[in-house]
Amino acid sequence: MLDRQLSVAPMMGCTDRHCRYLMRLLAPNTLLYSEMIVTGALLHGDAEYHLRHSDDSPCAIQLGGSNPSELAASAKLVEAAGYQEVNLNCGCPSDRVQMGGIGACLMGSADLVADCYRAMAEEVQIPVTIKSRIGIDKHDSYEFFSGFISTIYAAGCRAFSVHARSAWLDGLSPKENREIPPLHYDYVTRIKADFPDAVFVLNGGIANLADALALLQAHDGIMLGRAPYASPYLLAELEQAVYGIAPPTRDEVFDAYRAYVESELSEGTALKHMAKHLFGLYAGVSGARAFRRHLSTTMNVQTAGLEVLDAARDNISRAA
């Protein structure tokens, strides 16, 4: 059974395989999630490219889709690629998912989500989970949320990640949808009481170590998003607090990631795809601003290599 006490949320443009490699250096136990991958990309595109990963387990792939048979076929590919969980996105409010009727749109179709869950669960041995909001547009009562969960629970699902805000599909950007709809942590507390044998991981608004540890005391697990992406070392601090693991230093993490970058560069991966995830590594350390500035202004050069990383870190060394 997967340990769901700590997890990092799926984030478009963020939690690609390079980001997950960096986060795994910081946090050996935290469950990591991929960016959302739509079923069409796996079934009609380059599945090997989308599912490629290094040893980042425990790791889950999040799928975007609404066709049960396509999701089932995609889940099989996820399992074959060596991931430990497949997750269905029922929470993203972006224009892209709205056009496809997936993501948060699925909160208005609980029966369809249940069908999708059944189809996926019948095809794989790894856990199939759901990530949702607590509501959609004006349908944001606890009764609506409970009804959504109840339908999927009846289909057999026992693990949910809940962003404890409604998704407002009209008038808000994805960023605003992460900030403006009010948080209702109490909905997650209540749903756990109603379905005590299921796991409910709380997501949304968890900004720092103190908040994370306090919320973890009251919930099965917590899922962090933008906070550890902006400051990845938060993951090491969390693992120390939860698991008693002595954290690596930032420089140790940098050196290990540098070796990974060197290997990827030799295979033709552009530096910019890997360097961007380092921006927050030295957050709070003297010289961090100059470190970020050097990376951001030099990593996009086509010929950029390890010298860019080394010169960026020199700003930290001089400030130490």
Side-chain angles (χ1 to χ4, degrees):
M1 181 177 295
L2 289 175
D3 184 343
R4 302 181 186 280
Q5 290 186 87
L6 301 177
S7 57
V8 175
M11 292 178 281
M12 296 300 294
C14 298
T15 52
D16 60 20
R17 64 186 179 89
H18 309 304
C19 174
R20 300 196 306 270
Y21 188 92
L22 174 65
M23 289 182 167
R24 184 57 68 219
L25 294 172
L26 290 153
N29 298 285
T30 299
L31 178 58
L32 303 178
Y33 283 77
S34 74
E35 304 173 274
M36 182 187 72
I37 304 173
V38 295
T39 54
L42 296 183
L43 302 179
H44 309 297
D46 188 345
E48 183 177 356
Y49 169 80
H50 289 292
L51 295 175
R52 181 184 175 192
H53 63 118
S54 300
D55 185 14
D56 53 7
S57 61
C59 185
I61 287 286
Q62 185 182 71
L63 294 177
S66 59
N67 181 295
S69 62
E70 292 178 356
L71 283 164
S74 297
K76 289 181 68 175
L77 293 175
V78 169
E79 183 176 49
Y83 290 92
Q84 286 71 51
E85 176 189 307
V86 59
N87 175 266
L88 178 60
N89 185 328
C90 297
C92 178
S94 73
D95 291 342
R96 176 188 176 193
V97 302
Q98 289 187 52
M99 289 178 62
I102 61 176
C105 299
L106 291 175
M107 290 211 68
S109 304
D111 288 336
L112 174 58
V113 175
D115 289 342
C116 291
Y117 172 83
R118 291 189 191 95
M120 298 164 73
E122 287 173 358
E123 291 294 334
V124 298
Q125 298 301 310
I126 59 176
V128 178
T129 65
I130 303 294
K131 186 173 190 294
S132 74
R133 296 288 184 120
I134 58 171
I136 181 173
D137 295 327
K138 295 180 181 180
H139 303 290
D140 61 355
S141 66
Y142 178 75
E143 289 70 28
F144 175 84
F145 174 57
S146 178
F148 176 81
I149 295 296
S150 177
T151 301
I152 304 163
Y153 177 93
C157 187
R158 293 296 182 270
F160 303 84
S161 298
V162 182
H163 187 156
R165 307 179 195 267
S166 287
W168 296 357
L169 300 184
D170 186 22
L172 292 185
S173 69
K175 181 178 185 298
E176 290 170 330
N177 257 300
R178 295 193 299 269
E179 300 169 351
I180 292 177
L183 284 164
H184 285 286
Y185 290 163
D186 58 305
Y187 282 24
V188 183
T189 303
R190 290 176 66 183
I191 204 70
K192 174 63 179 180
D194 288 346
F195 300 93
D197 64 325
V199 173
F200 293 93
V201 174
L202 178 71
N203 174 229
I206 307 173
N208 54 55
L209 179 64
D211 289 347
L213 293 177
L215 289 167
L216 186 58
Q217 296 302 310
H219 298 280
D220 292 330
I222 54 172
M223 174 181 279
L224 296 92
R226 302 290 158 174
Y229 190 76
S231 183
Y233 203 71
L234 172 60
L235 293 177
E237 295 171 334
L238 274 168
E239 291 242 349
Q240 182 179 32
V242 174
Y243 299 106
I245 297 173
T249 66
R250 289 177 172 83
D251 282 338
E252 287 171 340
V253 172
F254 181 96
D255 288 339
Y257 192 66
R258 183 187 185 281
Y260 169 79
V261 169
E262 184 175 22
S263 176
E264 286 288 323
L265 287 171
S266 71
E267 296 183 17
T269 305
L271 180 71
K272 62 183 180 181
H273 299 309
M274 299 172 283
K276 67 178 183 178
H277 302 306
L278 284 170
F279 283 179
L281 179 60
Y282 288 97
V285 175
S286 182
R289 181 177 297 179
F291 173 84
R292 292 193 302 272
R293 183 169 58 246
H294 185 84
L295 285 180
S296 65
T297 57
T298 58
M299 70 181 190
N300 292 306
V301 176
Q302 187 173 359
T303 57
L306 292 175
E307 72 284 350
V308 169
L309 301 188
D310 295 336
R313 185 165 60 169
D314 283 345
N315 290 287
I316 301 295
S317 299
R318 285 196 297 272

